[in-house]
Amino acid sequence: MTRLKTGDIDTISSNLEEYDRELLKKTGQTLLGIACHSCGMNQDRVLDLMKNVTINVVPVTAGEGIITSFSETVCAILNHMNFNASVTEETDTAGVARAFENKADAIMMADDNRFVGLNLKTRSLVDNSEATGRVFAAALDLMVKGLKGSDVLIMGCGPVGTGAARALMELGARLALYDIRPQAAQSLKERLSQYPGGNEVVLEQDLTSALSRHRHVIEATPVAGTIQENAIFENTFITAPGVPLGITPPGAEKIQDRLVHDKLELGVASMAVSLLKEPTQEQTNVSLL
Ligand code: PYL
């Protein structure tokens, strides 16, 4: 997982209104709308549920430590969506304790290994990588007005690519998987066999060839420049959760409004809406044990 730098995220908070307008133009939905789509939840219901939910963002000093403006940016994204969120003054354990003393309903926090949301009432957990893959699949689904039965190429079969793949299988897309480590693609294919149509998942060995045959792409690699201008066609649509952006600048210029990419916003939005999901009966049974 690429560790964000302050320079990647320090303009997000002041551009959220503009980003919503960009997403509306490209997908027909705002950050909140795409996040709701990624969770299969009704937006009005979500707006109602979030009125009674407070989220505390807890800065974490472990490992390489605080990323300046990370917690504040996560909080700004949440408040932009009408969640009631704040950053605890304390960090780490003291921050978690403060969240409990604040009677927060949920905590969001990240070390160098995982960025998670924790619902303190339902005990549900949401992971940023899974939510990011899922929400960028939802954005592609909205951008092309439905992916059922369509071919989609997933570049990068790590945790984000896996989250996208699972969401796309649920949307009824026909998947092709590429990873620079063939074993990673093979392993993901095996994990997708549980889904209807899972046995039709295709493994792509050559990226240039795969890009020449696919017009719907999810770029989930941590590498820049993986998609060149000559791999982009009039009807190419790409959502790119990978950090840094995997498309070359000329490629990004050429694809224009058929590309969705960000470094934190959509993933945080999907995490927050995921935390509002009512626990399934199975989860309820478990929590009663
Ligand atoms: C969550 C992002 C998405 C991509 N890479 C992930 C990353 O940069 N993780 C590290 C986050 C560290 C946050 C730091 C703080 O400021 O609380 N511990």
Side-chain angles (χ1 to χ4, degrees):
M1 169 175 63
T2 312
R3 179 178 161 93
L4 292 171
K5 296 181 288 295
T6 300
D8 291 326
I9 58 175
D10 57 6
T11 59
I12 288 174
S13 301
S14 57
N15 284 308
L16 287 166
E17 294 294 341
E18 182 186 333
Y19 191 43
D20 261 349
R21 287 191 292 275
E22 177 191 329
L23 289 172
L24 266 171
K25 184 178 169 189
K26 293 179 176 180
T27 71
Q29 294 290 342
T30 62
L31 261 181
L32 177 63
I34 299 171
C36 291
H37 187 58
S38 75
C39 297
M41 293 178 77
N42 172 278
Q43 183 163 321
D44 290 338
R45 173 74 177 138
V46 166
L47 285 167
D48 192 42
L49 286 170
M50 71 168 68
K51 288 175 189 160
N52 307 313
V53 169
T54 60
I55 302 177
N56 277 188
V57 181
V58 179
V60 174
T61 63
E64 294 192 45
I66 298 282
I67 298 177
T68 303
S69 84
F70 176 81
S71 294
E72 294 73 14
T73 300
V74 170
C75 190
I77 295 164
L78 297 172
N79 286 318
H80 170 74
M81 295 165 66
N82 276 342
F83 279 95
N84 177 5
S86 59
V87 180
T88 58
E89 281 184 29
E90 301 83 351
T91 65
D92 307 296
T93 306
V96 171
R98 176 65 67 197
F100 272 79
E101 288 158 351
N102 291 342
K103 297 194 179 347
D105 299 289
I107 288 174
M108 291 177 81
M109 59 195 297
D111 63 15
D112 295 344
N113 300 306
R114 291 188 74 178
F115 174 21
V116 296
L118 307 167
N119 184 313
L120 304 181
K121 290 185 172 172
T122 65
R123 295 174 55 195
S124 67
L125 175 146
V126 60
D127 180 276
N128 173 258
S129 295
E130 184 275 330
T132 298
R134 178 158 39 90
V135 76
F136 275 82
L140 186 63
D141 187 50
L142 290 165
M143 203 159 45
V144 305
K145 296 181 175 46
L147 280 170
K148 187 173 174 56
S150 296
D151 291 334
V152 181
L153 171 65
I154 295 182
M155 298 169 56
C157 296
V160 174
T162 298
R166 292 184 187 279
L168 288 167
M169 293 303 289
E170 288 163 11
L171 288 167
R174 293 148 37 101
L175 295 196
L177 306 177
Y178 172 80
D179 194 289
I180 198 161
R181 306 153 300 162
Q183 184 48 46
Q186 174 62 38
S187 165
L188 178 51
K189 174 178 167 64
E190 289 163 7
R191 281 174 282 142
L192 296 175
S193 59
Q194 63 185 289
Y195 290 90
N199 294 326
E200 279 77 63
V201 172
V202 172
L203 295 178
E204 293 286 352
Q205 311 298 337
D206 178 278
L207 182 57
T208 303
S209 168
L211 285 169
S212 72
R213 289 178 281 106
H214 286 86
R215 298 297 177 271
H216 302 142
V217 181
I218 293 192
E219 207 290 344
T221 79
V223 181
T226 54
I227 301 178
Q228 312 277 329
E229 184 183 357
N230 61 10
I232 291 171
F233 304 91
E234 286 298 305
N235 55 347
T236 298
F237 291 85
I238 302 174
T239 61
V243 176
L245 175 60
I247 304 166
T248 59
E253 177 65 29
K254 182 175 180 182
I255 199 169
Q256 295 183 3
D257 286 347
R258 302 189 310 281
L259 166 65
V260 170
H261 167 73
D262 71 41
K263 296 179 171 60
L264 200 54
E265 299 95 314
L266 278 166
V268 167
S270 184
M271 289 171 76
V273 173
S274 300
L275 289 171
L276 298 179
K277 276 185 188 170
E278 330 283 296
T280 59
Q281 188 55 50
E282 182 189 337
Q283 283 166 324
T284 304
N285 292 343
V286 167
S287 63
L288 292 177
L289 290 178

